Amino acid sequence: MHKTYLNADLHCHSVISDGTLTPEQLARRAADRGVQLWSLTDHDEISGQDRAMAAARECGLDYLTGTEISASFAGNTIHIVGLGFDHRNPALLEGLHSIRHGRAPRARQMAEALEQAGIPGSYEGALRHAGNPELISRTHFARFLVEAGHCSDTYEVFRRYLAEGLPGYVPHSWARLGDAVRWITGAGGVAVIAHPARYELSANEEYALFYEFKTHGGQGVEVVTGSHRPSEYATYADMAREFGLAASRGSDFHSPEESHTDLGSLPALPSQLTPVWELLEKRVIRA
Ligand code: AMP
Ligand code: MN
Ligand code: MN
Ligand code: MN
């Protein structure tokens, strides 16, 4: 018999990547907001997993290990969430390390581009927010630009400077799709396409993404996420059924000040989908 979770939240970020709360604060917040099964999915990094697991236990939450891997596909950046893997797996650790390696040089290039656009000092400014040059991200640049008075909130920074085609955007090569999937599955986990509606893919490219993801051994897709509009839930519920993928649910919470969707606040998955946690029953760390 499957254990059903009415409130699973399998996507969020801590200070270890580009969130503003610690793993312990996130666990407490998740529990207070009714989450029953939780995962911390920092970008390209799993060093927070031991803390998240301990905090989950402390707060009475069932837990799945997690990460969100940056990958490149058809000239676009896409994100692959990994759930329920062995967080000590050497190939996974090595793969994640190889992607993080590119972040500092990219950030230097972003800072040069922003300087040309009249914004000095952004590398140092973003690094203050990130703490670690290996994990410096556009979110940290966005926080610096708000702090320095260039924009009124981080969403405005992305609209004016950091999205593709804008002055502070620097193209980057992340992991290959197949590598990202295999790092996760090779460590015993399930790979999930994160927030598919957020990518600027043509219909053909999107089909190719799902098809290739499945071919590489991917098994899930986020259907209900804070990064989707409610109208997009049905679209990706259909895609999940068409491709035989399990469905995931996660807020993509980053910060009480910045995020529109809080932990545990999403609606349930649409019916007639296999929840991704049914594939991961043996990997759940029970509170
Ligand atoms: P990076 O991995 O450095 O490219 O940064 C990507 C992060 O920036 C994502 O994980 C989000 O947290 C944030 N982000 C990307 N696009 C937007 C946007 N349009 N508005 C707000 N945050 C965004
Ligand atoms: Mn992020
Ligand atoms: Mn993402
Ligand atoms: Mn995310």
Side-chain angles (χ1 to χ4, degrees), residues 73-89:
F73 179 81
N76 290 270
T77 298
I78 59 141
H79 287 168
I80 301 296
V81 163
L83 297 171
F85 47 78
D86 165 14
H87 66 297
R88 300 209 170 80
N89 180 274

Side-chain angles (χ1 to χ4, degrees), residues 81 190-194 210 213 217-222 240 244-248 276 279:
V81 163
V190 166
V192 175
I193 300 174
F210 276 69
F213 172 75
Q219 292 182 281
V221 58
E222 284 184 346
L245 295 170
S248 193
V276 73
L279 308 182

Side-chain angles (χ1 to χ4, degrees), residues 18 43 70 79 103 106 136-139 155 158 174 254:
D18 61 347
H43 297 285
S70 311
H79 287 168
R103 282 196 178 266
R106 166 191 186 239
I136 194 166
S137 81
R138 285 185 289 161
T139 312
Y155 291 92
F158 278 94
W174 302 104
H254 285 68

Side-chain angles (χ1 to χ4, degrees), residues 219-243:
Q219 292 182 281
V221 58
E222 284 184 346
V223 171
V224 175
T225 140
S227 300
H228 280 178
R229 285 186 280 271
S231 62
E232 292 163 338
Y233 302 160
T235 309
Y236 291 95
D238 286 345
M239 288 289 274
R241 291 184 201 106
E242 180 177 351
F243 282 88

Side-chain angles (χ1 to χ4, degrees), residues 56-103:
R57 181 178 299 268
E58 191 81 9
C59 297
L61 294 167
D62 284 359
Y63 189 76
L64 283 168
T65 54
T67 186
E68 182 177 18
I69 302 183
S70 311
S72 295
F73 179 81
N76 290 270
T77 298
I78 59 141
H79 287 168
I80 301 296
V81 163
L83 297 171
F85 47 78
D86 165 14
H87 66 297
R88 300 209 170 80
N89 180 274
L92 172 62
L93 287 162
E94 178 52 37
L96 295 178
H97 182 259
S98 72
I99 331 177
R100 292 199 301 273
H101 209 63
R103 282 196 178 266

